[in-house]
Amino acid sequence: MNKNLFEKLLILRSPGIGPARYSELLRRFDGDAAAAATALNASVAHRDAVMREMARAAELNIHYICDDDELYPVALRAVKNHPPVLTARGNLDTLRRRAVAMVGTRHATAAGMEFMANLATEFASHGIAVVSGMAIGTDTAAHRGALRAAGCAQTIAVLAGGVDYIWPVENESLYWDIVSHGVVVSEMPVGFTPVAQNFVQRNRWVAGIGE
């Protein structure tokens, strides 16, 4: 487990604190997450909520990956105001691979989806992980195409909600296929139900992980 993970989550799960504010706080305290968390003077209820989230993550075999961990996607780390902590479920070695982002319309034609799937298969067959958002349409075709390649660690799904929140529900089987042969990641808390703006931010991280 990453050093000071609890303190980092205590900061990130505080109201009004996102990646930019988090980075500002850590700069103020010379990178000391414990000191920054102490300065926030979090309530007992807030501390308990973070502890419950961490316990739930452990039950579901969900891992936390901080931006100073080796497994954190290199390309994403270079993005300004990237997520300081990701949650991940599945084959974590997928995050070590070179990756390409593949996204598109939810209303793709059958021909368009087959083209996308074939392209994804080619990338995955050459050891390049395919990153997408698990939406219906083009995203689904990209993930499915990558999963057609032999072996594991072919695809990365970036979710707008918690890494355990399966959306859309039509893609539940795809979700479990990705967990088995790739990895699902999110910046949101375990159990979080997404709202509209989360999908926009999700797309930024899809692009950020892809090289």
Side-chain angles (χ1 to χ4, degrees), residues 168-199:
V169 293
E170 297 92 332
N171 274 347
E172 182 175 3
S173 64
L174 174 60
Y175 173 91
W176 291 113
D177 285 344
I178 295 172
V179 169
S180 296
H181 300 287
V183 68
V184 179
V185 301
S186 175
E187 69 167 324
M188 306 310 296
V190 175
F192 181 82
T193 301
V195 293
Q197 60 262 34
N198 300 127
F199 290 93

PDB file of all heavy atoms in Angstrom, residues 168-199:
ATOM      1  N   PRO A 168     -22.611   1.563 -18.960  1.00  0.00           N
ATOM      2  CA  PRO A 168     -24.040   1.238 -18.917  1.00  0.00           C
ATOM      3  C   PRO A 168     -24.278  -0.215 -18.514  1.00  0.00           C
ATOM      4  O   PRO A 168     -23.393  -1.064 -18.701  1.00  0.00           O
ATOM      5  CB  PRO A 168     -24.498   1.485 -20.362  1.00  0.00           C
ATOM      6  CG  PRO A 168     -23.278   1.209 -21.179  1.00  0.00           C
ATOM      7  CD  PRO A 168     -22.121   1.700 -20.358  1.00  0.00           C
ATOM      8  N   VAL A 169     -25.458  -0.498 -18.013  1.00  0.00           N
ATOM      9  CA  VAL A 169     -25.750  -1.846 -17.514  1.00  0.00           C
ATOM     10  C   VAL A 169     -25.684  -2.881 -18.638  1.00  0.00           C
ATOM     11  O   VAL A 169     -25.416  -4.055 -18.388  1.00  0.00           O
ATOM     12  CB  VAL A 169     -27.123  -1.904 -16.819  1.00  0.00           C
ATOM     13  CG1 VAL A 169     -27.106  -1.090 -15.543  1.00  0.00           C
ATOM     14  CG2 VAL A 169     -28.237  -1.413 -17.742  1.00  0.00           C
ATOM     15  N   GLU A 170     -25.891  -2.431 -19.866  1.00  0.00           N
ATOM     16  CA  GLU A 170     -25.812  -3.357 -21.001  1.00  0.00           C
ATOM     17  C   GLU A 170     -24.416  -3.935 -21.165  1.00  0.00           C
ATOM     18  O   GLU A 170     -24.242  -4.969 -21.816  1.00  0.00           O
ATOM     19  CB  GLU A 170     -26.212  -2.651 -22.311  1.00  0.00           C
ATOM     20  CG  GLU A 170     -27.642  -2.159 -22.359  1.00  0.00           C
ATOM     21  CD  GLU A 170     -27.776  -0.728 -21.886  1.00  0.00           C
ATOM     22  OE1 GLU A 170     -26.959  -0.286 -21.058  1.00  0.00           O
ATOM     23  OE2 GLU A 170     -28.717  -0.053 -22.351  1.00  0.00           O
ATOM     24  N   ASN A 171     -23.433  -3.281 -20.591  1.00  0.00           N
ATOM     25  CA  ASN A 171     -22.049  -3.721 -20.746  1.00  0.00           C
ATOM     26  C   ASN A 171     -21.521  -4.464 -19.518  1.00  0.00           C
ATOM     27  O   ASN A 171     -20.309  -4.528 -19.294  1.00  0.00           O
ATOM     28  CB  ASN A 171     -21.145  -2.532 -21.060  1.00  0.00           C
ATOM     29  CG  ASN A 171     -21.096  -2.231 -22.542  1.00  0.00           C
ATOM     30  OD1 ASN A 171     -21.534  -3.040 -23.363  1.00  0.00           O
ATOM     31  ND2 ASN A 171     -20.556  -1.084 -22.911  1.00  0.00           N
ATOM     32  N   GLU A 172     -22.424  -5.041 -18.743  1.00  0.00           N
ATOM     33  CA  GLU A 172     -21.967  -5.771 -17.552  1.00  0.00           C
ATOM     34  C   GLU A 172     -21.043  -6.928 -17.924  1.00  0.00           C
ATOM     35  O   GLU A 172     -19.997  -7.130 -17.294  1.00  0.00           O
ATOM     36  CB  GLU A 172     -23.149  -6.303 -16.747  1.00  0.00           C
ATOM     37  CG  GLU A 172     -22.705  -7.039 -15.475  1.00  0.00           C
ATOM     38  CD  GLU A 172     -23.860  -7.470 -14.600  1.00  0.00           C
ATOM     39  OE1 GLU A 172     -25.021  -7.264 -14.993  1.00  0.00           O
ATOM     40  OE2 GLU A 172     -23.590  -8.021 -13.508  1.00  0.00           O
ATOM     41  N   SER A 173     -21.384  -7.694 -18.942  1.00  0.00           N
ATOM     42  CA  SER A 173     -20.522  -8.818 -19.334  1.00  0.00           C
ATOM     43  C   SER A 173     -19.181  -8.301 -19.849  1.00  0.00           C
ATOM     44  O   SER A 173     -18.134  -8.902 -19.583  1.00  0.00           O
ATOM     45  CB  SER A 173     -21.204  -9.684 -20.395  1.00  0.00           C
ATOM     46  OG  SER A 173     -21.412  -8.971 -21.600  1.00  0.00           O
ATOM     47  N   LEU A 174     -19.203  -7.182 -20.570  1.00  0.00           N
ATOM     48  CA  LEU A 174     -17.946  -6.588 -21.046  1.00  0.00           C
ATOM     49  C   LEU A 174     -17.083  -6.155 -19.866  1.00  0.00           C
ATOM     50  O   LEU A 174     -15.862  -6.374 -19.859  1.00  0.00           O
ATOM     51  CB  LEU A 174     -18.249  -5.389 -21.946  1.00  0.00           C
ATOM     52  CG  LEU A 174     -17.034  -4.569 -22.411  1.00  0.00           C
ATOM     53  CD1 LEU A 174     -16.070  -5.429 -23.218  1.00  0.00           C
ATOM     54  CD2 LEU A 174     -17.491  -3.355 -23.219  1.00  0.00           C
ATOM     55  N   TYR A 175     -17.716  -5.563 -18.865  1.00  0.00           N
ATOM     56  CA  TYR A 175     -16.982  -5.134 -17.666  1.00  0.00           C
ATOM     57  C   TYR A 175     -16.203  -6.294 -17.065  1.00  0.00           C
ATOM     58  O   TYR A 175     -14.999  -6.177 -16.787  1.00  0.00           O
ATOM     59  CB  TYR A 175     -17.970  -4.572 -16.644  1.00  0.00           C
ATOM     60  CG  TYR A 175     -17.366  -4.233 -15.294  1.00  0.00           C
ATOM     61  CD1 TYR A 175     -16.861  -2.973 -15.029  1.00  0.00           C
ATOM     62  CD2 TYR A 175     -17.314  -5.198 -14.277  1.00  0.00           C
ATOM     63  CE1 TYR A 175     -16.323  -2.660 -13.789  1.00  0.00           C
ATOM     64  CE2 TYR A 175     -16.777  -4.891 -13.040  1.00  0.00           C
ATOM     65  CZ  TYR A 175     -16.285  -3.625 -12.791  1.00  0.00           C
ATOM     66  OH  TYR A 175     -15.740  -3.328 -11.552  1.00  0.00           O
ATOM     67  N   TRP A 176     -16.872  -7.426 -16.883  1.00  0.00           N
ATOM     68  CA  TRP A 176     -16.199  -8.568 -16.252  1.00  0.00           C
ATOM     69  C   TRP A 176     -15.151  -9.180 -17.166  1.00  0.00           C
ATOM     70  O   TRP A 176     -14.119  -9.690 -16.686  1.00  0.00           O
ATOM     71  CB  TRP A 176     -17.220  -9.603 -15.794  1.00  0.00           C
ATOM     72  CG  TRP A 176     -18.049  -9.108 -14.654  1.00  0.00           C
ATOM     73  CD1 TRP A 176     -19.384  -8.823 -14.654  1.00  0.00           C
ATOM     74  CD2 TRP A 176     -17.575  -8.772 -13.339  1.00  0.00           C
ATOM     75  NE1 TRP A 176     -19.786  -8.352 -13.428  1.00  0.00           N
ATOM     76  CE2 TRP A 176     -18.693  -8.308 -12.591  1.00  0.00           C
ATOM     77  CE3 TRP A 176     -16.331  -8.830 -12.721  1.00  0.00           C
ATOM     78  CZ2 TRP A 176     -18.591  -7.909 -11.269  1.00  0.00           C
ATOM     79  CZ3 TRP A 176     -16.224  -8.421 -11.388  1.00  0.00           C
ATOM     80  CH2 TRP A 176     -17.342  -7.971 -10.680  1.00  0.00           C
ATOM     81  N   ASP A 177     -15.353  -9.117 -18.469  1.00  0.00           N
ATOM     82  CA  ASP A 177     -14.319  -9.574 -19.396  1.00  0.00           C
ATOM     83  C   ASP A 177     -13.074  -8.707 -19.287  1.00  0.00           C
ATOM     84  O   ASP A 177     -11.942  -9.208 -19.327  1.00  0.00           O
ATOM     85  CB  ASP A 177     -14.835  -9.542 -20.841  1.00  0.00           C
ATOM     86  CG  ASP A 177     -15.795 -10.675 -21.150  1.00  0.00           C
ATOM     87  OD1 ASP A 177     -15.835 -11.649 -20.362  1.00  0.00           O
ATOM     88  OD2 ASP A 177     -16.512 -10.588 -22.166  1.00  0.00           O
ATOM     89  N   ILE A 178     -13.289  -7.398 -19.143  1.00  0.00           N
ATOM     90  CA  ILE A 178     -12.143  -6.495 -19.005  1.00  0.00           C
ATOM     91  C   ILE A 178     -11.430  -6.731 -17.680  1.00  0.00           C
ATOM     92  O   ILE A 178     -10.192  -6.754 -17.617  1.00  0.00           O
ATOM     93  CB  ILE A 178     -12.593  -5.025 -19.136  1.00  0.00           C
ATOM     94  CG1 ILE A 178     -13.128  -4.762 -20.546  1.00  0.00           C
ATOM     95  CG2 ILE A 178     -11.426  -4.074 -18.840  1.00  0.00           C
ATOM     96  CD1 ILE A 178     -13.774  -3.400 -20.717  1.00  0.00           C
ATOM     97  N   VAL A 179     -12.184  -6.919 -16.609  1.00  0.00           N
ATOM     98  CA  VAL A 179     -11.559  -7.205 -15.307  1.00  0.00           C
ATOM     99  C   VAL A 179     -10.710  -8.478 -15.387  1.00  0.00           C
ATOM    100  O   VAL A 179      -9.639  -8.572 -14.779  1.00  0.00           O
ATOM    101  CB  VAL A 179     -12.629  -7.330 -14.205  1.00  0.00           C
ATOM    102  CG1 VAL A 179     -12.037  -7.899 -12.918  1.00  0.00           C
ATOM    103  CG2 VAL A 179     -13.272  -5.969 -13.926  1.00  0.00           C
ATOM    104  N   SER A 180     -11.171  -9.461 -16.153  1.00  0.00           N
ATOM    105  CA  SER A 180     -10.456 -10.735 -16.266  1.00  0.00           C
ATOM    106  C   SER A 180      -9.218 -10.639 -17.146  1.00  0.00           C
ATOM    107  O   SER A 180      -8.221 -11.327 -16.894  1.00  0.00           O
ATOM    108  CB  SER A 180     -11.385 -11.815 -16.835  1.00  0.00           C
ATOM    109  OG  SER A 180     -12.458 -12.063 -15.964  1.00  0.00           O
ATOM    110  N   HIS A 181      -9.269  -9.799 -18.189  1.00  0.00           N
ATOM    111  CA  HIS A 181      -8.191  -9.799 -19.185  1.00  0.00           C
ATOM    112  C   HIS A 181      -7.521  -8.444 -19.377  1.00  0.00           C
ATOM    113  O   HIS A 181      -6.585  -8.325 -20.168  1.00  0.00           O
ATOM    114  CB  HIS A 181      -8.739 -10.278 -20.527  1.00  0.00           C
ATOM    115  CG  HIS A 181      -9.303 -11.662 -20.473  1.00  0.00           C
ATOM    116  ND1 HIS A 181      -8.504 -12.785 -20.374  1.00  0.00           N
ATOM    117  CD2 HIS A 181     -10.578 -12.106 -20.485  1.00  0.00           C
ATOM    118  CE1 HIS A 181      -9.269 -13.860 -20.341  1.00  0.00           C
ATOM    119  NE2 HIS A 181     -10.531 -13.483 -20.394  1.00  0.00           N
ATOM    120  N   GLY A 182      -7.984  -7.442 -18.683  1.00  0.00           N
ATOM    121  CA  GLY A 182      -7.405  -6.114 -18.767  1.00  0.00           C
ATOM    122  C   GLY A 182      -7.570  -5.438 -17.422  1.00  0.00           C
ATOM    123  O   GLY A 182      -7.460  -6.083 -16.383  1.00  0.00           O
ATOM    124  N   VAL A 183      -7.891  -4.154 -17.421  1.00  0.00           N
ATOM    125  CA  VAL A 183      -8.057  -3.457 -16.148  1.00  0.00           C
ATOM    126  C   VAL A 183      -9.087  -2.339 -16.305  1.00  0.00           C
ATOM    127  O   VAL A 183      -9.198  -1.730 -17.371  1.00  0.00           O
ATOM    128  CB  VAL A 183      -6.709  -2.884 -15.640  1.00  0.00           C
ATOM    129  CG1 VAL A 183      -6.204  -1.753 -16.525  1.00  0.00           C
ATOM    130  CG2 VAL A 183      -6.799  -2.438 -14.193  1.00  0.00           C
ATOM    131  N   VAL A 184      -9.849  -2.110 -15.249  1.00  0.00           N
ATOM    132  CA  VAL A 184     -10.809  -1.012 -15.176  1.00  0.00           C
ATOM    133  C   VAL A 184     -10.271  -0.006 -14.169  1.00  0.00           C
ATOM    134  O   VAL A 184      -9.843  -0.386 -13.078  1.00  0.00           O
ATOM    135  CB  VAL A 184     -12.192  -1.526 -14.735  1.00  0.00           C
ATOM    136  CG1 VAL A 184     -13.184  -0.384 -14.625  1.00  0.00           C
ATOM    137  CG2 VAL A 184     -12.712  -2.574 -15.707  1.00  0.00           C
ATOM    138  N   VAL A 185     -10.271   1.277 -14.525  1.00  0.00           N
ATOM    139  CA  VAL A 185      -9.747   2.304 -13.627  1.00  0.00           C
ATOM    140  C   VAL A 185     -10.729   3.462 -13.488  1.00  0.00           C
ATOM    141  O   VAL A 185     -11.586   3.680 -14.343  1.00  0.00           O
ATOM    142  CB  VAL A 185      -8.374   2.845 -14.111  1.00  0.00           C
ATOM    143  CG1 VAL A 185      -7.350   1.737 -14.197  1.00  0.00           C
ATOM    144  CG2 VAL A 185      -8.509   3.556 -15.450  1.00  0.00           C
ATOM    145  N   SER A 186     -10.572   4.217 -12.403  1.00  0.00           N
ATOM    146  CA  SER A 186     -11.393   5.409 -12.177  1.00  0.00           C
ATOM    147  C   SER A 186     -10.680   6.315 -11.184  1.00  0.00           C
ATOM    148  O   SER A 186      -9.872   5.853 -10.369  1.00  0.00           O
ATOM    149  CB  SER A 186     -12.762   5.020 -11.622  1.00  0.00           C
ATOM    150  OG  SER A 186     -13.523   6.178 -11.290  1.00  0.00           O
ATOM    151  N   GLU A 187     -11.000   7.601 -11.257  1.00  0.00           N
ATOM    152  CA  GLU A 187     -10.489   8.533 -10.241  1.00  0.00           C
ATOM    153  C   GLU A 187     -11.498   8.735  -9.122  1.00  0.00           C
ATOM    154  O   GLU A 187     -11.194   9.352  -8.108  1.00  0.00           O
ATOM    155  CB  GLU A 187     -10.176   9.888 -10.873  1.00  0.00           C
ATOM    156  CG  GLU A 187     -11.393  10.668 -11.338  1.00  0.00           C
ATOM    157  CD  GLU A 187     -11.096  12.119 -11.676  1.00  0.00           C
ATOM    158  OE1 GLU A 187     -10.256  12.742 -11.004  1.00  0.00           O
ATOM    159  OE2 GLU A 187     -11.729  12.635 -12.618  1.00  0.00           O
ATOM    160  N   MET A 188     -12.719   8.209  -9.291  1.00  0.00           N
ATOM    161  CA  MET A 188     -13.798   8.464  -8.348  1.00  0.00           C
ATOM    162  C   MET A 188     -13.766   7.470  -7.186  1.00  0.00           C
ATOM    163  O   MET A 188     -13.178   6.393  -7.288  1.00  0.00           O
ATOM    164  CB  MET A 188     -15.139   8.406  -9.063  1.00  0.00           C
ATOM    165  CG  MET A 188     -15.241   9.329 -10.274  1.00  0.00           C
ATOM    166  SD  MET A 188     -14.724  11.043  -9.954  1.00  0.00           S
ATOM    167  CE  MET A 188     -15.949  11.548  -8.744  1.00  0.00           C
ATOM    168  N   PRO A 189     -14.413   7.801  -6.073  1.00  0.00           N
ATOM    169  CA  PRO A 189     -14.447   6.893  -4.924  1.00  0.00           C
ATOM    170  C   PRO A 189     -15.154   5.587  -5.260  1.00  0.00           C
ATOM    171  O   PRO A 189     -16.030   5.535  -6.133  1.00  0.00           O
ATOM    172  CB  PRO A 189     -15.242   7.679  -3.871  1.00  0.00           C
ATOM    173  CG  PRO A 189     -15.140   9.111  -4.281  1.00  0.00           C
ATOM    174  CD  PRO A 189     -15.078   9.101  -5.777  1.00  0.00           C
ATOM    175  N   VAL A 190     -14.791   4.540  -4.574  1.00  0.00           N
ATOM    176  CA  VAL A 190     -15.473   3.252  -4.709  1.00  0.00           C
ATOM    177  C   VAL A 190     -16.946   3.451  -4.381  1.00  0.00           C
ATOM    178  O   VAL A 190     -17.304   4.089  -3.385  1.00  0.00           O
ATOM    179  CB  VAL A 190     -14.841   2.211  -3.767  1.00  0.00           C
ATOM    180  CG1 VAL A 190     -15.624   0.902  -3.809  1.00  0.00           C
ATOM    181  CG2 VAL A 190     -13.381   1.975  -4.150  1.00  0.00           C
ATOM    182  N   GLY A 191     -17.831   2.926  -5.256  1.00  0.00           N
ATOM    183  CA  GLY A 191     -19.261   3.047  -5.038  1.00  0.00           C
ATOM    184  C   GLY A 191     -19.888   4.318  -5.565  1.00  0.00           C
ATOM    185  O   GLY A 191     -21.112   4.489  -5.482  1.00  0.00           O
ATOM    186  N   PHE A 192     -19.098   5.205  -6.157  1.00  0.00           N
ATOM    187  CA  PHE A 192     -19.613   6.498  -6.609  1.00  0.00           C
ATOM    188  C   PHE A 192     -20.482   6.357  -7.858  1.00  0.00           C
ATOM    189  O   PHE A 192     -20.109   5.697  -8.825  1.00  0.00           O
ATOM    190  CB  PHE A 192     -18.444   7.444  -6.909  1.00  0.00           C
ATOM    191  CG  PHE A 192     -18.850   8.816  -7.371  1.00  0.00           C
ATOM    192  CD1 PHE A 192     -19.206   9.792  -6.457  1.00  0.00           C
ATOM    193  CD2 PHE A 192     -18.871   9.138  -8.723  1.00  0.00           C
ATOM    194  CE1 PHE A 192     -19.578  11.064  -6.873  1.00  0.00           C
ATOM    195  CE2 PHE A 192     -19.237  10.407  -9.148  1.00  0.00           C
ATOM    196  CZ  PHE A 192     -19.584  11.366  -8.223  1.00  0.00           C
ATOM    197  N   THR A 193     -21.655   6.983  -7.833  1.00  0.00           N
ATOM    198  CA  THR A 193     -22.555   7.010  -8.985  1.00  0.00           C
ATOM    199  C   THR A 193     -22.276   8.269  -9.797  1.00  0.00           C
ATOM    200  O   THR A 193     -22.365   9.378  -9.268  1.00  0.00           O
ATOM    201  CB  THR A 193     -24.032   7.011  -8.545  1.00  0.00           C
ATOM    202  OG1 THR A 193     -24.291   5.839  -7.759  1.00  0.00           O
ATOM    203  CG2 THR A 193     -24.958   7.020  -9.747  1.00  0.00           C
ATOM    204  N   PRO A 194     -21.938   8.139 -11.082  1.00  0.00           N
ATOM    205  CA  PRO A 194     -21.515   9.312 -11.855  1.00  0.00           C
ATOM    206  C   PRO A 194     -22.661  10.244 -12.215  1.00  0.00           C
ATOM    207  O   PRO A 194     -23.820   9.841 -12.291  1.00  0.00           O
ATOM    208  CB  PRO A 194     -20.918   8.687 -13.122  1.00  0.00           C
ATOM    209  CG  PRO A 194     -21.665   7.399 -13.283  1.00  0.00           C
ATOM    210  CD  PRO A 194     -21.887   6.905 -11.881  1.00  0.00           C
ATOM    211  N   VAL A 195     -22.293  11.513 -12.435  1.00  0.00           N
ATOM    212  CA  VAL A 195     -23.212  12.510 -12.992  1.00  0.00           C
ATOM    213  C   VAL A 195     -22.601  13.001 -14.301  1.00  0.00           C
ATOM    214  O   VAL A 195     -21.481  12.624 -14.660  1.00  0.00           O
ATOM    215  CB  VAL A 195     -23.432  13.683 -12.013  1.00  0.00           C
ATOM    216  CG1 VAL A 195     -24.176  13.206 -10.777  1.00  0.00           C
ATOM    217  CG2 VAL A 195     -22.106  14.319 -11.607  1.00  0.00           C
ATOM    218  N   ALA A 196     -23.337  13.833 -15.037  1.00  0.00           N
ATOM    219  CA  ALA A 196     -22.960  14.184 -16.404  1.00  0.00           C
ATOM    220  C   ALA A 196     -21.527  14.690 -16.540  1.00  0.00           C
ATOM    221  O   ALA A 196     -20.784  14.259 -17.438  1.00  0.00           O
ATOM    222  CB  ALA A 196     -23.939  15.218 -16.955  1.00  0.00           C
ATOM    223  N   GLN A 197     -21.096  15.592 -15.652  1.00  0.00           N
ATOM    224  CA  GLN A 197     -19.767  16.179 -15.820  1.00  0.00           C
ATOM    225  C   GLN A 197     -18.648  15.167 -15.628  1.00  0.00           C
ATOM    226  O   GLN A 197     -17.528  15.371 -16.119  1.00  0.00           O
ATOM    227  CB  GLN A 197     -19.561  17.374 -14.884  1.00  0.00           C
ATOM    228  CG  GLN A 197     -19.667  17.068 -13.404  1.00  0.00           C
ATOM    229  CD  GLN A 197     -21.034  17.411 -12.854  1.00  0.00           C
ATOM    230  OE1 GLN A 197     -22.045  17.279 -13.559  1.00  0.00           O
ATOM    231  NE2 GLN A 197     -21.078  17.855 -11.607  1.00  0.00           N
ATOM    232  N   ASN A 198     -18.930  14.080 -14.912  1.00  0.00           N
ATOM    233  CA  ASN A 198     -17.902  13.063 -14.710  1.00  0.00           C
ATOM    234  C   ASN A 198     -17.518  12.382 -16.017  1.00  0.00           C
ATOM    235  O   ASN A 198     -16.368  11.956 -16.187  1.00  0.00           O
ATOM    236  CB  ASN A 198     -18.363  12.007 -13.715  1.00  0.00           C
ATOM    237  CG  ASN A 198     -18.680  12.569 -12.344  1.00  0.00           C
ATOM    238  OD1 ASN A 198     -19.756  12.347 -11.800  1.00  0.00           O
ATOM    239  ND2 ASN A 198     -17.746  13.318 -11.772  1.00  0.00           N
ATOM    240  N   PHE A 199     -18.456  12.284 -16.953  1.00  0.00           N
ATOM    241  CA  PHE A 199     -18.169  11.631 -18.222  1.00  0.00           C
ATOM    242  C   PHE A 199     -17.232  12.483 -19.078  1.00  0.00           C
ATOM    243  O   PHE A 199     -16.376  11.968 -19.798  1.00  0.00           O
ATOM    244  CB  PHE A 199     -19.470  11.320 -18.964  1.00  0.00           C
ATOM    245  CG  PHE A 199     -20.276  10.245 -18.310  1.00  0.00           C
ATOM    246  CD1 PHE A 199     -21.259  10.557 -17.390  1.00  0.00           C
ATOM    247  CD2 PHE A 199     -20.038   8.907 -18.601  1.00  0.00           C
ATOM    248  CE1 PHE A 199     -22.002   9.561 -16.766  1.00  0.00           C
ATOM    249  CE2 PHE A 199     -20.775   7.905 -17.981  1.00  0.00           C
ATOM    250  CZ  PHE A 199     -21.762   8.232 -17.069  1.00  0.00           C
TER     251      PHE A 199
END
